[in-house]
Amino acid sequence: MSTSHQIRHIRITPIAFRDPPLLNAAGIHEPWALRSIIEIETASGLVGINESYGDQPMLDALAKAAPALVGLSPWALNEMEVRVAALVTPPKLTASEFLGQQVSLAPGTHVSKTVAKVVSAFEVAMLDLQGQMAKAPIVDLLGGPARDRVPYSAYLFYKYAEHVDQPYAPDAWGEALTPAQLVAQARRMIDQYGFQSIKLKAGTLPPEQEAAGILALAEAFPGTPLRIDPNGNWTVETSLKIVQQLRGVLEYYEDPAPGLDGMAAVARECDVPLATNMVVTDFAEFRRNADMGCPVKIVLSDHHYWGGLRATQRLSTLCRTFDLGLSMHSNSHLGVSLVAMTHLCASVPLLTYACDTHYPWQDEEVVEGGRLQFEQGSLRVPTTPGLGVTLDREALARLHDNYLHCGIRNRDDLGQMRKYDPEFTGRQPRF
Ligand SMILES: [Mg+2]
């Protein structure tokens, strides 16, 4: 390869964008969600891009690892992984830090996954460069499309109408705490995006109330696949009681009880398949699930922390080997992450469920051309070189300015919830 395509420069730009007051097991979303935009530039002037976590520990890790890329070919993904692993060694956790991680939903703070997260952040940007050089979409670099569009699900949240410290005009979605409000939220999201399956983020209101929400959705949208995700915030006993109430309604049951042992206890008494993005989150945990006879039947992957698009393809081979299903988890994100997910999911034949996305909850965008358009709940797989999206420089500057002024450097759903309820402990499982 000529030296003109050698990587010359890496830019990491932290950004913040508006995020509604969405409730979850950890607490509630803050008014701003953080991400980082990664740009990898070659000596010839090509720029590969990606989007990843924007919490301070992740920004520190990206900054520490970035010099490892200088001089590398964009094709040298394996060498990049070796260099990143050598530079980014996870710090040893104290016991309380380790336990602290278990109740956090803030992905940027999972230090044990730092190497995988940094590798992923660089891998996608390097694949974007490869695609530009080969004049091929990333999905072709991954073996070509198994489908030409990727289905996503309507991701419903219980939510307040406004943030406690609302720094901008409230979002258009309004309050959602009752079953009727939840159905209205689903109706609005499905009308707007055409989603054909529904996921409810739970673990926040009393479980009976959340079960009533699912039953109301089942009645309002007959035949639509439904999932509920309490993020491990229910005991095994509560998990079993609620799944009885939801018999015949759920497509899968996502992380009802905490820990793989808790999930295994639920699986022994329940015939609805269990899904997770909490207890099988890396290859070591995959092995533990397999050793236990696979109580978890569906792995909800996320290339941002599984180590990238190729690592997720390897995960799909393992899932097939062990007769497991595969779909995708999501955090608050913008279009670069969405389009990377879409290339990946198009390349994985096993992907048989609609993927999660927070995208409808955001109204800002960092890619040129603005918000990506869903067709009947699906995104068309790009056919142009690389990722198929480029950065809107003005938008990037604006979102970076948000970051500089928002005052948030690490996601803290628990601390945010304490502004509404000073007594809130965040203890899990809560119900
Ligand atoms: Mg989940």
Side-chain angles (χ1 to χ4, degrees):
M1 192 196 74
S2 88
T3 55
S4 67
H5 287 312
Q6 280 181 349
I7 291 170
R8 184 177 62 181
H9 186 63
I10 296 94
R11 253 186 317 277
I12 314 290
T13 309
I15 60 171
F17 46 85
R18 293 185 287 272
D19 202 23
L22 307 177
L23 291 156
N24 61 33
I28 188 166
H29 285 208
E30 295 165 278
W32 301 97
L34 307 182
R35 297 293 271 179
S36 55
I37 296 296
I38 294 100
E39 296 174 79
I40 300 182
E41 193 177 331
T42 65
S44 56
L46 293 179
V47 179
I49 64 169
N50 191 22
E51 173 187 340
S52 186
Y53 307 110
D55 291 79
Q56 193 60 49
M58 183 62 177
L59 295 176
D60 293 343
L62 288 169
K64 196 170 169 189
L69 273 65
V70 175
L72 270 188
S73 156
W75 298 99
L77 298 176
N78 293 324
E79 176 63 16
M80 177 273 288
E81 292 189 15
V82 169
R83 291 188 184 187
V84 166
L87 271 180
V88 185
T89 39
K92 258 203 158 72
L93 295 183
T94 65
S96 68
E97 282 168 341
F98 181 78
L99 289 173
Q101 278 197 79
Q102 308 309 299
V103 298
S104 172
L105 296 179
T109 62
H110 286 248
V111 290
S112 61
K113 306 222 183 309
T114 304
V115 172
K117 289 186 302 184
V118 173
V119 162
S120 178
F122 292 155
E123 186 219 44
V124 174
M126 288 169 74
L127 286 168
D128 186 28
L129 283 172
Q130 291 178 16
Q132 293 174 48
M133 290 158 63
K135 301 197 176 2
I138 284 180
V139 65
D140 281 2
L141 303 173
L142 298 174
R147 54 184 65 79
D148 63 3
R149 55 195 69 205
V150 171
Y152 290 85
S153 61
Y155 196 159
L156 308 186
F157 278 82
Y158 291 109
K159 68 182 289 292
Y160 296 149
E162 296 186 24
H163 288 288
V164 67
D165 43 5
Q166 188 71 44
Y168 42 73
D171 66 79
W173 294 87
E175 181 186 86
L177 297 171
T178 66
Q181 288 172 323
L182 195 64
V183 168
Q185 184 187 100
R187 187 82 66 201
R188 180 186 174 123
M189 199 177 281
I190 286 171
D191 282 352
Q192 198 172 336
Y193 295 91
F195 296 124
Q196 290 165 28
S197 53
I198 296 176
K199 161 174 176 162
L200 173 61
K201 176 59 78 186
T204 178
L205 304 179
E208 308 280 345
Q209 203 172 322
E210 294 183 341
I214 287 285
L215 292 173
L217 290 167
E219 201 178 312
F221 302 92
T224 301
L226 299 175
R227 310 121 177 215
I228 187 166
D229 175 16
N231 274 119
N233 213 8
W234 294 351
T235 63
V236 170
E237 191 186 2
T238 301
S239 302
L240 290 172
K241 189 173 75 185
I242 297 299
V243 80
Q244 281 298 326
Q245 296 173 16
L246 301 179
R247 278 196 88 79
V249 166
L250 292 181
E251 179 181 36
Y252 58 67
Y253 200 18
E254 180 174 341
D255 287 311
L260 186 54
D261 292 331
M263 292 286 274
V266 174
R268 278 193 288 276
E269 308 288 332
C270 152
D271 54 8
V272 180
L274 300 187
T276 190
N277 65 278
M278 297 182 79
V279 299
V280 180
T281 64
D282 58 30
F283 290 100
E285 290 175 349
F286 186 98
R287 177 174 167 166
R288 188 159 171 250
N289 183 52
D291 285 347
M292 289 174 69
C294 296
V296 170
K297 298 293 184 209
I298 297 149
V299 178
L300 305 174
S301 174
D302 183 327
H303 70 269
H304 300 88
Y305 64 71
W306 270 91
L309 308 190
R310 295 176 314 136
T312 310
Q313 285 192 310
R314 293 194 281 270
L315 169 64
S316 84
T317 304
L318 277 178
C319 287
R320 199 169 56 217
T321 307
F322 286 87
D323 273 333
L324 303 184
L326 178 68
S327 189
M328 297 287 158
H329 159 265
S330 133
N331 285 119
S332 303
H333 65 88
L334 296 179
V336 182
S337 278
L338 186 62
V339 85
M341 261 175 95
T342 301
H343 281 284
L344 169 62
C345 296
S347 80
V348 176
L350 182 69
L351 204 136
T352 46
Y353 299 97
C355 302
D356 290 353
T357 179
H358 285 61
Y359 199 66
W361 293 109
Q362 265 59 67
D363 58 5
E364 294 175 273
E365 192 42 279
V366 72
V367 299
E368 240 172 325
R371 304 278 299 164
L372 303 178
Q373 297 300 316
F374 289 82
E375 297 167 25
Q376 282 119 48
S378 293
L379 272 184
R380 207 180 274 275
V381 183
T383 52
T384 49
L387 273 171
V389 290
T390 53
L391 295 173
D392 175 335
R393 293 277 151 198
E394 250 171 61
L396 180 63
R398 189 172 62 247
L399 299 185
H400 179 58
D401 198 56
N402 286 346
Y403 175 82
L404 295 177
H405 293 102
C406 73
I408 297 171
R409 291 297 176 265
N410 294 293
R411 177 176 167 181
D412 182 12
D413 294 20
L414 172 64
Q416 182 70 7
M417 187 50 124
R418 285 189 175 141
K419 296 180 186 170
Y420 299 77
D421 174 9
E423 308 294 297
F424 185 80
T425 65
R427 184 181 57 84
Q428 295 184 13
R430 198 185 318 157
F431 303 104

